[in-house]
Amino acid sequence: MNDNKGSLYFADAIIAISTLFIVMLMLNMLISLPNPNYSDASHNSKNAQDIMELLSGKVDFEDETFLSVISSILKENKNSKKSISEVSQICDDKFGEFKLTNYMFIETNQLDSTVLSSSGDSSKAGNYSVATRNYDGYSYTLYIW
C-alpha cells in the first residue's frame, strides 16, 4: 500500500503520543508523594501574622483599617495620655473580639514601646508569635503566646 499523503504516518504519531501520555499519567498516579504532616506548632506560629493582617487590611477601598484609626487618634492628639488610653480601650475591645487570651500589643516607634493592650502572663510563655506593621510613622508589634 502506497501512502503519498503521509496519513498513516500522522495517525501512527498520534497513537504513539497518546500511548506515551497514558503511560506517563499511570506512572504519575503510581508514584505519589505522601502529604507532609504539619504540626500545630507551625500553625500557631502564624497567629500573630494572621491577626496583624486583619488589623491592617481593608474590606473594600472605602473602609479604614484598624491601624489607620488608632494611628489617626494618636496623631491628631499628639500622642497625649488621653489618646493613648482611648486607643488602649479600642485595642482591648478589638482583641476581645478575636478572643485572644495571651497577647501584648505595643507601639515601638513614636511611643517608646508603650503597651497599648495586653492580656495574660508573658513570663510563663514558651513560644512567641510576633508580627509588626508600620502605619503613618507608627510601628505596631503584636506578641502572642
Side-chain angles (χ1 to χ4, degrees):
M1 182 160 142
N2 203 358
D3 184 25
N4 293 333
K5 295 181 182 178
S7 301
L8 292 177
Y9 292 113
F10 182 72
D12 188 39
I14 294 294
I15 292 171
I17 290 174
S18 299
T19 305
L20 184 63
F21 183 69
I22 290 171
V23 169
M24 289 179 64
L25 282 175
M26 290 175 60
L27 284 174
N28 190 25
M29 292 171 75
L30 290 175
I31 302 171
S32 63
L33 298 174
N35 290 335
N37 187 7
Y38 297 110
S39 67
D40 288 337
S42 65
H43 177 69
N44 289 336
S45 70
K46 297 177 183 168
N47 281 343
Q49 292 291 339
D50 294 341
I51 298 293
M52 282 301 260
E53 284 298 316
L54 291 172
L55 296 178
S56 62
K58 292 183 177 183
V59 175
D60 57 32
F61 293 111
E62 296 176 6
D63 288 342
E64 284 187 304
T65 66
F66 177 79
L67 295 182
S68 70
V69 170
I70 63 174
S71 297
S72 65
I73 292 171
L74 291 170
K75 193 170 197 170
E76 288 170 3
N77 296 305
K78 297 182 173 84
N79 301 330
S80 67
K81 288 185 180 185
K82 182 181 177 189
S83 66
I84 292 172
S85 64
E86 182 182 349
V87 166
S88 292
Q89 183 60 46
I90 293 170
C91 291
D92 289 341
D93 294 342
K94 185 57 125 178
F95 290 119
E97 292 174 15
F98 293 135
K99 296 182 178 32
L100 293 177
T101 55
N102 298 314
Y103 69 91
M104 184 168 41
F105 185 66
I106 63 174
E107 198 291 322
T108 57
N109 191 27
Q110 300 286 328
L111 303 178
D112 296 324
S113 298
T114 300
V115 176
L116 298 175
S117 182
S118 68
S119 176
D121 186 10
S122 63
S123 65
K124 297 178 183 177
N127 293 324
Y128 284 95
S129 174
V130 181
T132 301
R133 295 292 184 278
N134 298 314
Y135 187 86
D136 200 19
Y138 293 92
S139 180
Y140 301 101
T141 303
L142 175 64
Y143 298 92
I144 296 178
W145 60 91

